[in-house]
Amino acid sequence: TQLLEQSPQFLSIQEGENLTVYCNSSSVFSSLQWYRQEPGEGPVLLVTVVTGGEVKKLKRLTFQFGDARKDSSLHITAAQPGDTGLYLCAGAPAKTSYDKVIFGPGTSLSVIP
Amino acid sequence: NAGVTQTPKFQVLKTGQSMTLQCAQDMNHNSMYWYRQDPGMGLRLIYYSASEGTTDKGEVPNGYNVSRLNKREFSLRLESAAPSQTSVYFCASRGFEDSPLHFGNGTRLTVT
């Protein structure tokens, strides 16, 4: 059982649709990060959320950190084929070393033109 | 702008063989990490090093050893490879808490 759960595991949508992916845990995290990974490459950071209830926007992407700091969501508006990739949430549980960064299993997104 | 460099990129081992995966970063980062990635499992933390001279177990440390040789280099050793260790291995580093993890391009390891 992984400490960070993500849903859905797979998502295939048409270009222009909206979507939300979720990252959940039973543990509190001091912060959560979202990464995107493309095939054959390492993950690349999209955003870090630190404060409970925080909302951050990055162009068409909106990230939210839950009030209790146990969950986060990523909403994409008007998805484009370039959004295709594996979306991963990551963080260090609050009761462990802040260097112990773990990842969720990821959501694989496919945007069809 | 090399960032994080991993070697080798590909490796095939027979069961029982040993090997060392090398990782070096040129960003003067304090923390370094080894992850493995399997289909549907995201990245699982094997070992990490918060600073030069320290190493700690992650989520899946069994069957692996690490060495933080200096601030730049963090190696991962498989003493007796098993088919269950077939995976893609990623090294990463970061400078401080909440800063981005910077990843290498991965090592694809197959154990037959």
Side-chain angles (χ1 to χ4, degrees):
Chain A
T1 304
Q2 294 193 251
L3 200 55
L4 280 170
E5 301 290 337
Q6 290 188 245
S7 61
Q9 186 177 0
F10 300 99
L11 191 55
S12 182
I13 62 170
Q14 295 290 328
E15 182 176 359
E17 292 184 349
N18 301 332
L19 67 116
T20 303
V21 298
Y22 300 92
C23 174
N24 299 284
S25 179
S26 57
S27 299
V28 174
F29 283 75
S30 55
S31 64
L32 279 176
Q33 295 180 320
W34 284 91
Y35 290 81
R36 190 175 89 187
Q37 183 180 24
E38 300 194 19
E41 299 181 4
V44 175
L45 181 74
L46 295 172
V47 78
T48 300
V49 286
V50 178
T51 306
E54 181 177 7
V55 176
K56 278 191 173 179
K57 293 192 174 184
L58 185 66
K59 297 184 180 178
R60 294 178 293 102
L61 279 59
T62 302
F63 304 85
Q64 185 163 7
F65 199 13
D67 291 340
R69 306 208 318 273
K70 293 183 177 181
D71 57 89
S72 181
S73 63
L74 159 58
H75 181 80
I76 301 179
T77 302
Q80 299 177 0
D83 296 326
T84 294
L86 180 65
Y87 289 81
L88 297 152
C89 64
K95 293 186 177 180
T96 67
S97 163
Y98 65 77
D99 283 300
K100 191 175 183 179
V101 180
I102 62 170
F103 281 76
T107 293
S108 180
L109 172 65
S110 178
V111 182
I112 303 165
Chain B
N1 292 337
V4 178
T5 303
Q6 289 183 236
T7 56
K9 293 186 178 180
F10 300 93
Q11 184 71 49
V12 179
L13 293 178
K14 294 185 186 300
T15 297
Q17 288 185 319
S18 63
M19 78 161 295
T20 299
L21 281 66
Q22 306 287 352
C23 175
Q25 53 93 5
D26 62 1
M27 296 171 282
N28 200 35
H29 285 169
N30 290 317
S31 305
M32 296 188 73
Y33 302 79
W34 278 105
Y35 293 91
R36 60 176 289 174
Q37 186 170 33
D38 304 293
M41 300 292 291
L43 283 85
R44 290 185 292 170
L45 181 62
I46 305 171
Y47 271 93
Y48 65 102
S49 170
S51 61
E52 183 179 354
T54 69
T55 61
D56 287 283
K57 294 179 180 180
E59 301 170 282
V60 289
N62 292 344
Y64 305 95
N65 287 301
V66 291
S67 295
R68 183 75 182 265
L69 305 169
N70 47 55
K71 193 170 186 179
R72 291 186 64 248
E73 297 172 289
F74 189 37
S75 62
L76 178 72
R77 182 161 178 82
L78 286 71
E79 290 291 352
S80 179
S84 61
Q85 294 179 306
T86 292
S87 189
V88 180
Y89 291 84
F90 285 98
C91 177
S93 70
R94 73 173 187 180
F96 49 88
E97 184 180 5
D98 292 339
S99 65
L101 285 167
H102 295 262
F103 285 85
N105 284 329
T107 295
R108 186 174 294 275
L109 174 67
T110 301
V111 183
T112 60

